[in-house]
Amino acid sequence: MTQTRKRAVFTFLIWGVAMAAFSVIFFYGAGPERYALEKWRRLAGAVIIACGYLFYGLMLFLTRIRPGDHAVGRDERDEEIRNRANASAFILVLVYVFALSIILWEKFQGSGFVPVGWMWFLAYSTSFAAFISSSVIALILEFKASGHGQG
Amino acid sequence: MAKAEIRNKIRRYRFDAGEMTQEELANRAGCTRQTIILMEQSRYVPSLALAFRIAGVFKAGIEDIFEYVGEEHEV
């Protein structure tokens, strides 16, 4: 398995689990409106995202290319896939942030304010969206055998 | 722009080189085995640099291995 594929799979798993765990904490009990007021939920959210970054960093370290590796772990096709996945994920994250902001505006425009808990959600979920979308797109491009010179 | 295709004879050259494995070719050319597999299936077109390295492994010219097949190109 190439480094690109390995990293895409593990990135998807790590951030998928983190997103699921954060969603449970965020929508738990009193829901988003009280998220910012309940310290333990804010703390749990922070621990989840910290663990996400910790495991992600560990995964990058463990899947690095070592000088003595027998097989070539990454080549021009992988670079191309990664570049295209990151470029596409960038657009998707922009669309996601814009869409969520508009949805919040539509939902709360009558009351005149947005519960601050939703700002936490926007902040955390942007990270999840970036990592998950780039890994999924990389896997799709890998599956489609896309890369340099493909139409 | 006209649609073009680059065909290759990597499989045949591997056979002629004593059934060189895809992995050995990949390691010598500096790419992954997956890329060699896709090239042999004509599902991936390599960069010029990789094409030269593959030709170098077989001690052949790049045009011996890779063939441009397409309509007349437009500028």
Side-chain angles (χ1 to χ4, degrees), chain A residues 40-93:
Chain A
W40 76 269
R41 286 169 71 197
R42 288 203 321 271
L43 187 66
V47 167
I48 286 166
I49 200 149
C51 285
Y53 276 105
L54 186 73
F55 280 108
Y56 181 68
L58 192 65
M59 181 275 291
L60 292 181
F61 178 75
L62 292 174
T63 57
R64 73 194 184 283
I65 305 244
R66 298 170 182 88
D69 280 355
H70 173 63
V72 176
R74 188 179 67 213
D75 64 9
E76 60 178 35
R77 195 174 61 87
D78 297 292
E79 296 292 338
E80 185 70 20
I81 286 172
R82 208 155 50 179
N83 290 343
R84 288 171 67 174
N86 288 342
S88 306
F90 173 70
I91 303 294
L92 279 178
V93 169

Side-chain angles (χ1 to χ4, degrees), chain A residues 2 5 70-78 80 142-150, chain B residues 23 26-28 30-35 38 42-50 53:
Chain A
T2 63
R5 191 181 296 180
H70 173 63
V72 176
R74 188 179 67 213
D75 64 9
E76 60 178 35
R77 195 174 61 87
D78 297 292
E80 185 70 20
E142 264 261 315
F143 182 73
K144 286 174 67 183
S146 227
H148 183 89
Q150 299 296 314
Chain B
E23 183 147 16
N27 289 340
R28 289 174 66 179
C31 64
T32 61
R33 184 170 158 261
Q34 187 68 17
T35 298
L38 293 171
S42 293
R43 291 170 66 197
Y44 177 70
V45 178
S47 70
L48 203 50
L50 179 55
R53 290 204 301 272

Side-chain angles (χ1 to χ4, degrees), chain A residues 2-150:
Chain A
T2 63
Q3 186 199 47
T4 303
R5 191 181 296 180
K6 247 188 271 183
R7 285 187 167 179
V9 168
F10 285 122
T11 300
F12 177 75
L13 290 176
I14 290 167
W15 290 107
V17 169
M19 184 181 73
F22 177 74
S23 298
V24 169
I25 296 292
F26 187 75
F27 293 104
Y28 171 83
E33 277 73 17
R34 291 195 57 81
Y35 177 80
L37 303 173
E38 293 175 1
K39 195 178 173 188
W40 76 269
R41 286 169 71 197
R42 288 203 321 271
L43 187 66
V47 167
I48 286 166
I49 200 149
C51 285
Y53 276 105
L54 186 73
F55 280 108
Y56 181 68
L58 192 65
M59 181 275 291
L60 292 181
F61 178 75
L62 292 174
T63 57
R64 73 194 184 283
I65 305 244
R66 298 170 182 88
D69 280 355
H70 173 63
V72 176
R74 188 179 67 213
D75 64 9
E76 60 178 35
R77 195 174 61 87
D78 297 292
E79 296 292 338
E80 185 70 20
I81 286 172
R82 208 155 50 179
N83 290 343
R84 288 171 67 174
N86 288 342
S88 306
F90 173 70
I91 303 294
L92 279 178
V93 169
L94 289 180
V95 171
Y96 168 74
V97 171
F98 178 78
L100 183 59
S101 302
I102 293 297
I103 289 167
L104 290 176
W105 184 80
E106 283 289 339
K107 185 175 161 68
F108 294 106
Q109 66 166 323
S111 62
F113 68 92
V114 177
V116 74
W118 281 107
M119 296 299 103
W120 285 97
F121 184 81
L122 182 61
Y124 283 5
S125 63
T126 301
S127 286
F128 302 143
F131 285 116
I132 290 172
S133 60
S134 71
S135 60
V136 168
I137 293 167
L139 287 172
I140 290 170
L141 291 174
E142 264 261 315
F143 182 73
K144 286 174 67 183
S146 227
H148 183 89
Q150 299 296 314

